[in-house]
Amino acid sequence: MLERLLSHPIIHIATIGAILLGVFLCVFPDAVPPLSWVVNYAVQLMLFYLAAGLIVLFLKQPRLTFSFFGGCVLLCFYLKYSANMDGIERLRQQMVQGHKNDNDAPHIFIPDLKIAHINLTNVNSHEEVPTVVRAIGADIVFFHEVTPNWETLLQDSFAHSHPFNHTMLDIGLYGMSVFSKFKLVDIDTLYFNEIPNLSGQVEVDKNSFSFLSIHTQPALDEFSKKRLHEHLGLVEKKVARTEGPMLVIGEFNAVSWSDQIKVFLNQTNLMESRTGFMPTSVAGKISIWDLPLDHIFYSGEFICTNFQNIEGQLGQHLGILGTYHFLKEHSHAKKTAQ
């Protein structure tokens, strides 16, 4: 009965049309603004096409099998060439360059850095944060959505282990904190339409790098997309004025393959730490439902050697963790005139 139903020409036409519509909405999200959110689920849609193709293959429906597998392949190519995630090749080239630098200068031990970003709005309980941070062993932790109550807890929990810290409170959702095992200098606040962005430098032994922690608003319609573009444009200018190693961390509210992130990376020459669409968590789990809206972007003076999701005690997404290595010694991160 099911096979007969699936063989009906109308079912074929409707299914093929739905597959093509899904691919079209992912590849051209601005074509139908009310449905532009579909692009965020391109990975899940690709996996659905793959699973559906296997099911109809078992049911001996060659036309539908070809259609579902074709949609899966098209989304594979779209994700492959629209997201800056050539992590394996990028790592290989950087390690070759790092080896050349080591041959040109005396060997200097440069430690790896573990950088974490955690959004406190996803935390289940106050006791969860110290437990998670101790488990991941991060050298520097950027917290978002910090309230006055959270500020007190963070100070009590990390003032000893991460003695260099700075908190920027906000009456809305944009409070930020940074807790570091290394010295923080030149801390400043960059505003976009009253939304604060935290910037500064970190001194690591004889090395240093600049950072910018940002929290954008979601792009849900044409107006908010323009606002996100303008916010990232401000960050692009800040990155352009900063010389030396740099990390840009935070809640971007946009997936890696979105037009906003692609333009941002092209303009800044920063690289995406996430080398896959579904990175494993620190506990080794993989979730196909988490949208990669938080990012750590880094400049070419670094190598990103590892990247993971951070999960809470109930399995909820708390943030991300990246491990970075200086390609060579940087005695200071210069800044041009503001």
Side-chain angles (χ1 to χ4, degrees), residues 29-194:
D30 293 331
V32 186
L35 297 178
S36 60
W37 54 269
V38 174
V39 68
N40 294 334
Y41 296 90
V43 174
Q44 289 84 350
L45 188 60
M46 176 189 69
L47 294 176
F48 170 76
Y49 287 166
L50 176 61
L54 293 174
I55 292 173
V56 294
L57 175 63
F58 176 76
L59 296 174
K60 299 179 181 180
Q61 299 294 322
R63 186 174 299 176
L64 291 180
T65 300
F66 176 80
S67 301
F68 277 117
F69 284 167
C72 179
V73 169
L74 290 175
L75 288 179
C76 281
F77 278 107
Y78 166 72
L79 291 169
K80 166 65 178 176
Y81 293 106
S82 64
N84 185 18
M85 293 183 179
D86 52 342
I88 297 177
E89 178 64 18
R90 182 183 68 218
L91 179 59
R92 184 192 69 80
Q93 293 176 350
Q94 290 181 327
M95 293 192 70
V96 169
Q97 182 62 41
H99 179 69
K100 292 180 180 179
N101 292 334
D102 289 341
N103 291 336
D104 294 339
H107 178 72
I108 300 174
F109 175 73
I110 305 176
D112 285 345
L113 293 172
K114 281 191 173 184
I115 311 294
H117 162 73
I118 295 177
N119 192 322
L120 296 175
T121 193
N122 300 325
V123 173
N124 181 55
S125 66
H126 286 181
E127 295 76 17
E128 186 173 28
V129 175
T131 302
V132 169
V133 172
R134 283 194 296 267
I136 62 178
D139 299 301
I140 305 171
V141 187
F142 293 89
F143 295 99
H144 277 205
E145 303 200 22
V146 179
T147 63
N149 288 338
W150 270 116
E151 179 190 19
T152 302
L153 176 68
L154 295 177
Q155 286 290 344
D156 293 342
S157 301
F158 305 116
H160 179 70
S161 61
H162 297 71
F164 304 99
N165 55 78
H166 180 85
T167 298
M168 178 187 63
L169 292 178
D170 182 76
I171 60 175
L173 301 175
Y174 302 105
M176 298 182 184
S177 290
V178 53
F179 281 77
S180 172
K181 295 180 180 179
F182 306 103
K183 185 178 180 181
L184 301 174
V185 296
D186 296 333
I187 300 296
D188 196 6
T189 305
L190 179 69
Y191 283 92
F192 171 77
N193 291 348
E194 300 183 353

Side-chain angles (χ1 to χ4, degrees), residues 117-122 142-147 168-177 188-199 211-219 224 227-236 247-254 261 264 293-297 317-320:
H117 162 73
I118 295 177
N119 192 322
L120 296 175
T121 193
N122 300 325
F142 293 89
F143 295 99
H144 277 205
E145 303 200 22
V146 179
T147 63
M168 178 187 63
L169 292 178
D170 182 76
I171 60 175
L173 301 175
Y174 302 105
M176 298 182 184
S177 290
D188 196 6
T189 305
L190 179 69
Y191 283 92
F192 171 77
N193 291 348
E194 300 183 353
I195 299 176
N197 305 271
L198 187 63
S199 67
F211 68 82
L212 184 59
S213 180
I214 75 171
H215 192 144
T216 69
Q217 295 176 309
S224 56
R227 180 182 58 203
L228 176 59
H229 177 73
E230 292 174 350
H231 192 160
L232 293 180
L234 180 67
V235 177
E236 292 170 9
L247 297 175
V248 181
I249 307 108
E251 298 283 343
F252 287 76
N253 283 298
I261 296 299
F264 175 76
L293 303 178
D294 46 0
H295 306 279
I296 303 177
F297 301 126
H317 180 80
L318 294 184
I320 48 181

